[in-house]
Amino acid sequence: MTSNPNTSSTTRAQPDDRKGSFATLTFERDLAAPSSVLWQAWTAPAARAVWAAPTPSVTVEFLEADTRVGGREVSLCKVKGQPDIRCECGWLELLPAVRSVNYEVISSRGATQSAALVTADFSGTDEHSRLVVTVQLSSLAEDMEAGYRQGFDAGLDNLAEVAERTMVLQRVIQAPRSIVWGAWMNPETLPRWWGPDGFSCRTKRIDLRRGGEWVFDMIAPDGTVFPNHHLYVEVRPEERLGYTLLWGENGPKHADAWASFEDQDGATKVTLGMVLSTAAEFQEAKGFGAVELGLQTLGKLERFITSR
């Protein structure tokens, strides 16, 4: 998460005067979402891309995104008429739904502006969660405190709104990760199990790679046809994929989604997440049983794998 690039400072730190160059900032949020969902919204690259920009005038372009200990995230914050701001985040600790620790280095035009240690602590229940973020900031080229305060406040407000329209489903499948990934990313097998119980898929086009797409109809047991269009924006073999869901071919966006795959004692933990486009769509999806139907889809995946 970067400082707000719309905020500038004219106070520069002198080599022999470091007053104001160090600051500890604390941000707190209470959210109407489980801590497990908040964790996914905080760490999943597909979700981070939704809430990362502090204001509508800022565009965030992700160049790298590897959310694991030792991995890093590199992004560019872009504002028309201003130089790009580069943010490098390196993950130092990831304890799901408990704590994350990362470093963050901000630079522009090749000059480092700041370095920070960011600690996020999570707590909560099945209905609500609390997030406390502590930023230990060192301003290197100029006083960055005001920009950090504005940037983190805006970003965490965005995060809270996104987490409250995020849906997360998980299932442990008794098969190696390579097998689960293969069943998911094979154009011949994916349509055979995708969808809730009793649904079938009719494919128009399928290209399961970054930049590819899947245009298909989901057909309910009563014959009702639901047009779908998936646009694949990220594919990391056997680790993670990210895609955009559209209502029908080239239709309006329904959600930003991702699936991640983790080894778990010889089995595979699959996490399927999606940020619905609006709070109204989230409530509508939740109301017609999207969680239960999604879990049925993961159940069909497991049955498909174990029956082969």
Side-chain angles (χ1 to χ4, degrees), residues 11 69 146 182:
T11 304
V69 175

Side-chain angles (χ1 to χ4, degrees), residues 187-294:
E188 294 183 1
T189 59
L190 175 59
R192 292 170 61 185
W193 61 263
W194 183 264
D197 293 343
F199 281 68
S200 61
C201 291
R202 181 171 57 207
T203 296
K204 181 177 180 181
R205 295 192 305 275
I206 187 167
D207 182 7
L208 303 177
R209 60 182 175 83
R210 181 178 180 181
E213 63 181 348
W214 183 23
V215 182
F216 65 104
D217 293 330
M218 288 183 62
I219 305 172
D222 64 1
T224 303
V225 176
F226 299 92
N228 281 260
H229 191 176
H230 292 185
L231 299 173
Y232 294 92
V233 296
E234 180 187 34
V235 176
R236 295 179 63 91
E238 299 188 17
E239 293 183 8
R240 185 177 66 245
L241 61 96
Y243 56 102
T244 303
L245 279 69
L246 306 181
W247 287 116
E249 186 172 1
N250 299 316
K253 184 168 75 170
H254 177 46
D256 295 280
W258 66 94
S260 63
F261 305 80
E262 303 172 67
D263 288 324
Q264 188 165 307
D265 298 325
T268 303
K269 181 179 179 180
V270 178
T271 299
L272 179 60
M274 61 184 69
V275 180
L276 281 297
S277 294
T278 66
E281 286 188 81
F282 175 83
Q283 292 300 330
E284 182 180 0
K286 189 175 179 181
F288 71 64
V291 172
E292 293 78 9
L293 296 174

